[in-house]
Amino acid sequence: MPLKQLLACLSESKWYNTVMDKNNFLAALQEEAKAFNSAVSTQGGDWIIKGFIDIARNIYTISVDTKVISKIMELLLFPKLAHFAEKHGFKMVLPEQQNFYPDISFVDDDGRRFALDLKSTYRIDSNRVNGMTLGAFTGYFRERDSKKNVTFPYGSYRGHFVLGMIYSKVDDLIDERRRYTIDELENITSVIRDFQFFAQEKYCIASDHPGSGNTKNIGSVTEIDKLVSGSGPFASLGENVFDDYWVYYLTKDMARAAELKQPPYTNLRSYSKYKGLAK
């Protein structure tokens, strides 16, 4: 057997497994994500999901609720991620509770762990998205050995990754009250379309502002090119700076609780000044 063919066979075998660091893991995941479009969309770019069906074969359309869409996308992608795990010699460990971090833990035979969160967001225009939340900056994020609300302690993972999906909402009016039959399947408008997948380390797509609402979550950058390329503000600074920034970040309420007049910093510029890094 020619050497090139032998190496190809060995690379597919379960017993021949190159030890993965986080860079190899990311490269493998990015390669796998190239095929995810075919798992969720038609050749025309429409979502393959049209609605929910009951035992009488009636179909009910789906709303554009982001939580509903995110959950369905998880179900669609699960077989693809299971294939990825098997191909690279990982065991997939799912969280015990819905609010546990991460969505999926990949664990190899030697106990090396990689955390993956599945995130989705919709386009605002051709250059920007609505944004995503990238997990808490309190709790397990600060208590790196804690087992609360996390599958494994945060500090035990070799890397923290995000598999992101960007989509467009369909402008056509969707009548959520209407009920369709199976014969009318082709007439049902998909509520989302035009998917773009990306995979990056979490710190590379994080912003220096919390996510939306009052929850203590890390926000993402909203520029599509920065999400896809992993070139957020912390990407060039490194994960250690990202960790230090968010471990000690305080909201106004947190600052008051700590008896401070105001948070010591609110963005990377004031963080640099606070740390004495600004020139």
Side-chain angles (χ1 to χ4, degrees), residues 36-218:
F36 287 173
N37 249 312
S38 62
V40 303
S41 63
T42 66
Q43 290 186 345
D46 293 323
W47 199 20
I48 61 173
I49 301 299
K50 296 294 185 177
F52 302 102
I53 189 169
D54 64 20
I55 59 173
R57 299 168 66 85
N58 296 309
I59 300 174
Y60 304 86
T61 56
I62 297 174
S63 72
V64 289
D65 184 283
T66 54
K67 291 182 178 179
V68 174
I69 290 171
S70 295
K71 187 59 183 178
I72 297 174
M73 291 303 302
E74 286 183 27
L75 296 174
L76 289 174
L77 292 175
F78 191 87
K80 291 287 187 181
L81 292 170
H83 172 73
F84 168 79
E86 181 180 8
K87 182 166 66 174
H88 295 285
F90 288 112
K91 177 184 177 182
M92 284 178 63
V93 182
L94 302 181
E96 294 180 358
Q97 303 292 335
Q98 186 175 357
N99 64 336
F100 277 29
Y101 176 86
D103 291 327
I104 303 174
S105 298
F106 292 92
V107 185
D108 70 13
D109 292 338
D110 294 320
R112 284 178 284 265
R113 300 164 179 165
F114 300 90
L116 181 67
D117 260 354
L118 310 181
K119 300 293 181 180
S120 61
T121 185
Y122 59 88
R123 294 180 181 87
I124 294 176
D125 55 39
S126 60
N127 299 313
R128 295 180 301 127
V129 297
N130 185 55
M132 303 173 291
T133 55
L134 303 179
F137 58 80
T138 57
Y140 59 78
F141 185 83
R142 299 187 176 187
E143 304 290 335
R144 297 292 170 104
D145 295 326
S146 174
K147 297 181 180 179
K148 184 178 180 181
N149 295 335
V150 64
T151 302
F152 300 106
Y154 193 93
S156 71
Y157 289 95
R158 298 296 180 98
H160 299 267
F161 302 87
V162 171
L163 174 62
M165 181 196 71
I166 300 170
Y167 61 88
S168 296
K169 294 181 178 180
V170 173
D171 293 331
D172 296 346
L173 182 63
I174 306 295
D175 187 356
E176 297 177 22
R177 299 167 297 178
R178 182 173 174 183
R179 184 175 61 185
Y180 294 84
T181 66
I182 286 289
D183 294 335
E184 297 176 294
L185 183 62
E186 297 297 327
N187 298 327
I188 303 175
T189 302
S190 298
V191 296
I192 57 176
R193 60 173 289 117
D194 298 333
F195 303 97
Q196 183 175 8
F197 288 92
F198 66 89
Q200 291 293 344
E201 283 195 77
K202 179 166 72 172
Y203 82 92
C204 289
I205 61 171
S207 75
D208 58 355
H209 296 286
S212 59
N214 296 320
T215 56
K216 297 180 177 66
N217 284 308
I218 299 167

Side-chain angles (χ1 to χ4, degrees), residues 202-209 219-223 226 230-238 241-242 245-246 267-269:
K202 179 166 72 172
Y203 82 92
C204 289
I205 61 171
S207 75
D208 58 355
H209 296 286
S220 77
V221 293
T222 58
E223 298 91 343
K226 290 182 179 180
S231 54
F234 291 100
S236 61
L237 300 175
V241 173
F242 164 79
Y245 181 93
W246 283 109
N267 52 41
L268 271 172
R269 179 177 295 180

Side-chain angles (χ1 to χ4, degrees), residues 12-30:
E12 291 297 323
S13 65
K14 293 182 179 179
W15 57 269
Y16 181 83
N17 183 30
T18 302
V19 174
M20 273 203 179
D21 60 17
K22 66 177 185 177
N23 294 325
N24 293 333
F25 181 90
L26 177 59
L29 184 62
Q30 288 175 332

